Amino acid sequence: MTLDPLQLCLLFSSALFCVGLVGALARSSTILVLLGVELMLNAANINFIAFWRYGPPTAPATGVMFVIFSIAVAAAEAAVGLALIIAVYRHQKNIRLQEASRLKG
Amino acid sequence: MNYLELLRALLPETALVVGALLALTFDLSFGVRQSRETRLHAAVIIGTLAVVAAMFGALSAGVADAVFGGVLVLDELTLASRLGVLMLAWLTLTLTGGTARLRHPAEFVAIVLFATAGFTLMAAAQQLLVAFLALELASLSLYILAGFDKSRPESAEAALKYFLFGGMSAAFLLFGFSLIYGLTGSIELPQIAHQLARQGQSPLLSLALVMVLVAFGFKAAAAPFHLWAPDVYEGAPVVSSALIASASKLAGFTLFVRLLWPGFGPAAGSVATAAGSPGWLPLVACLSAASLLLGNFAALAQSNVRRLLAYSAIAHAGVMLLGVIVAGDAGLGPLFYYVFTYGLATIGAFAVIAVVERAGCCQKITDLAGLHRRSPLLAGCFAVYLLSLAGIPPLAGFFGKFTVFAAALNLGGLAGPAGWLALLAIALSAVALYYYLVMLKQALVVAPADPASAPVPVPADAAIVLVFTALLLVLLGLFPSVVLRIF
């Protein structure tokens, strides 16, 4: 069985998404969770590029435009995320998620 | 492509962003030597002016079909949702002026305005890219608002949890959008609907729909994606919780109902009959049932006022999802009416909490004891909000529930999941009444824990919010057609 390039890209991006998801759910360090989320976002970006590249050749570059914007959004998200991680670090002197457990019920 | 037309359509967002920048500039240039109180009031006044200007902008943009090649749409839903969101933002800002003690007042107001710009853009988006950007603008602002109180560890923790769940749901949404783009070759909702109607169901489409619904469940705080809600409602500053619970819900439901029905409508499936047919409707029905059950039963076990409101919000999300299900058949009236009146009642309840917290502590339900002696105005308004949330006539909450349930039963009677969900929701309303009455009993009947406890002073700004929301809930309950007629 041979896979065409689009299928390979989709398999790769799905794998990347799953790796990111597992990382985001299983890691206890907040920064690594953030990394997992970024991987998931990048998996989606690869999808957009692949669908644009292997789509109809006359189509406008929608996929690429989407990716440019979503990279900018991911950067903004990382900035906010790191700021919040610093805010948590100031109070509990570490960034382990298990110890962020004041709120429950 | 007509840029003037685009500018006119984006007048509300422009007004909000200009207002936010003005508030920051004013604070940095003239506010440096002023007291914190003056700076807060100056920022709130600038913010209020920006929101009012945005309301006029939304009205003057009027109703048009598609703007700028179909990127935005200005229909009745856009107009109503924009005005509703702006009204809720105005209430939040007024409440901020009355009750908040902030170290950086201008920044807070500016971020509230940025979030509101995100909400109004969500209400108008008709293209996946604009929808994603608007959603992220609103979400990123809300994460910051949740963590705004740097002196309390609970606030930082709540914001971090909100951010991590939110970031993950954004990734799911983006992945779902990328698959939709791949399947249909377009990111504009009308073309997507056209393509989906031609293609029919496919496994990849199901995956894309599931991913979009995960993000929707997060935004709506529907079970099982609700985990952030209780922590954020409890830990965030009260004013931020009020905005997250009201305006963000309204904008989120507007965005997703537009995404689901006009965009993915051909893949809806059916829940009118027991057999049904596959699509996203059965999934939304599952989310709705899970939220109704979990929200109502978990709320029974709560002793913290804000956590209780959070779980009741999850239960209300279940009814709102039922409103999404009926929106294809009965139109958007029931859903919009329900979400808007829910937002008003919630913002009112958080206003009461904010005022009580200003005078002392408001964590446990027992902290509300004797509110009728300490401040009759607060206790009276609190009763209106909670009874509206519980759905007691003649308040707006009753009519909201009535229209949604009636529309659901109209879909296929008791022959299918929609009817069963309506019955479940009606039965669980009795459970909900119990926990609302537990709170009301503390506020209206029980004597104060400390007989000498001082009366709670109500600042003028907060009093405006309280009276305005309570009056609006009564009036909308008596004349629901004012809102329903729009659609």
Side-chain angles (χ1 to χ4, degrees):
Chain A
M1 180 176 101
T2 55
L3 293 169
D4 63 36
L6 177 60
Q7 283 171 324
L8 280 175
C9 284
L10 290 186
L11 279 179
F12 173 62
S13 73
S14 310
L16 200 61
F17 190 84
C18 293
V19 170
L21 184 60
V22 170
L25 293 178
R27 289 299 184 149
S28 69
S29 162
T30 321
I31 296 215
L32 290 176
V33 176
L34 190 57
L35 276 182
V37 172
E38 296 292 318
L39 275 187
M40 290 159 77
L41 285 171
N42 281 329
N45 289 346
I46 289 174
N47 266 354
F48 273 112
I49 296 284
F51 282 129
W52 166 73
R53 172 69 179 75
Y54 298 107
T58 52
T62 319
V64 182
M65 290 310 296
F66 213 122
V67 169
I68 291 173
F69 278 99
S70 89
I71 288 175
V73 166
E77 199 165 289
V80 172
L82 290 175
L84 291 177
I85 291 174
I86 291 173
V88 168
Y89 179 81
R90 284 205 178 129
H91 289 292
Q92 63 184 39
K93 296 299 165 213
N94 64 49
I95 51 167
R96 288 167 57 78
L97 272 182
Q98 286 92 333
E99 289 176 40
S101 57
R102 268 184 203 86
L103 304 165
K104 56 180 148 191
Chain B
M1 299 272 166
N2 180 347
Y3 284 91
L4 252 173
E5 184 195 38
L6 181 67
L7 197 66
R8 245 170 63 90
L10 289 182
L11 267 181
E13 288 77 14
T14 317
L16 289 169
V17 172
V18 168
L21 297 178
L22 273 184
L24 285 176
T25 318
F26 186 83
D27 191 61
L28 287 174
S29 51
F30 299 102
V32 213
R33 277 176 240 98
Q34 308 295 328
S35 72
R36 206 177 289 165
E37 197 78 349
T38 325
R39 287 166 58 198
L40 176 64
H41 283 294
V44 167
I45 288 171
I46 296 175
T48 310
L49 288 178
V51 169
V52 172
M55 281 184 183
F56 279 112
L59 281 173
S60 77
V63 175
D65 248 358
V67 179
F68 205 60
V71 172
L72 301 172
V73 61
L74 297 177
D75 55 5
E76 290 81 10
L77 176 64
T78 308
L79 184 62
S81 171
R82 272 179 164 178
L83 289 179
V85 161
L86 288 169
M87 184 187 285
L88 294 170
W90 168 67
L91 290 170
T92 311
L93 279 177
T94 315
L95 189 62
T96 311
T99 59
R101 294 191 184 113
L102 301 161
R103 278 183 60 197
H104 303 284
E107 282 85 342
F108 189 87
V109 169
I111 295 175
V112 168
L113 291 180
F114 284 136
T116 312
F119 297 149
T120 53
L121 204 53
M122 276 160 81
Q126 207 198 10
Q127 187 214 37
L128 298 186
L129 179 55
V130 177
F132 181 71
L133 291 180
L135 190 69
E136 283 300 289
L137 173 60
S139 302
L140 289 177
S141 311
L142 290 181
Y143 305 147
I144 301 174
L145 288 182
F148 208 85
D149 191 350
K150 285 195 286 186
S151 60
R152 282 171 48 245
E154 292 87 1
S155 176
E157 187 186 317
L160 185 68
K161 288 181 178 169
Y162 192 20
F163 168 76
L164 290 177
F165 279 110
M168 233 184 284
S169 88
F172 271 96
L173 188 68
L174 194 65
F175 203 85
F177 279 180
S178 74
L179 293 181
I180 297 279
Y181 168 63
L183 280 169
T184 61
S186 171
I187 56 169
E188 274 161 29
L189 294 185
Q191 270 101 309
I192 290 175
H194 181 69
Q195 285 289 334
L196 288 182
R198 267 188 22 197
Q199 289 175 358
Q201 297 284 343
S202 69
L204 208 54
L205 177 62
S206 315
L207 185 64
L209 289 178
V210 168
M211 290 198 151
V212 172
L213 284 182
V214 168
F216 181 26
F218 164 82
K219 196 72 203 160
F225 311 107
H226 64 280
L227 292 163
W228 58 274
D231 290 351
V232 171
Y233 281 39
E234 183 186 348
V238 194
V239 195
S240 315
S241 302
L243 192 69
I244 292 170
S246 59
S248 153
K249 272 256 164 86
L250 179 55
F253 270 93
T254 307
L255 174 70
F256 278 98
V257 87
R258 188 168 341 259
L259 216 57
L260 290 175
W261 278 113
F264 310 155
S270 155
V271 285
T273 55
S277 62
W280 53 262
L281 271 179
L283 287 174
V284 174
C286 289
L287 286 182
S288 165
S291 311
L292 281 168
L293 287 167
L294 186 133
N296 279 312
F297 285 115
L300 290 176
Q302 301 304 319
S303 59
N304 182 305
V305 185
R306 291 210 232 164
R307 286 192 94 81
L308 201 161
L309 281 179
Y311 280 104
S312 95
I314 296 166
H316 280 281
V319 183
M320 292 172 200
L321 290 172
L322 191 58
V324 171
I325 292 174
V326 302
D329 209 49
L332 295 158
L335 176 69
F336 180 82
Y337 183 86
Y338 191 92
V339 183
F340 180 59
T341 53
Y342 166 80
L344 282 178
T346 314
I347 226 168
F350 274 105
V352 172
I353 295 175
V355 175
V356 176
E357 201 157 79
R358 190 168 163 271
C361 169
C362 186
Q363 288 289 325
K364 301 265 166 258
I365 295 177
T366 45
D367 290 342
L368 291 171
L371 198 62
H372 62 291
R373 297 238 189 98
R374 300 175 67 197
S375 166
L377 172 69
L378 279 181
C381 290
F382 199 51
V384 172
Y385 307 139
L386 289 194
L387 293 178
S388 174
L389 287 174
I392 304 291
L395 298 165
F398 165 75
F399 198 79
K401 282 202 164 96
F402 175 76
T403 47
V404 172
F405 296 157
L409 287 170
N410 262 336
L411 263 185
L414 289 178
W420 306 337
L421 267 179
L423 277 195
L424 179 72
I426 293 169
L428 288 174
S429 295
V431 179
L433 187 60
Y434 169 75
Y435 56 74
Y436 288 127
L437 286 184
V438 165
M439 272 203 278
L440 271 188
K441 181 181 149 208
Q442 291 289 339
L444 295 183
V445 181
V446 176
D450 175 9
S453 58
V456 182
V458 183
D461 319 25
I464 294 174
V465 174
L466 291 167
V467 173
F468 182 80
T469 42
L471 267 182
L472 209 55
L473 282 174
V474 175
L475 288 178
L476 284 179
L478 292 175
F479 308 105
S481 56
V482 177
V483 171
L484 291 174
R485 195 172 51 199
I486 303 173
F487 297 97

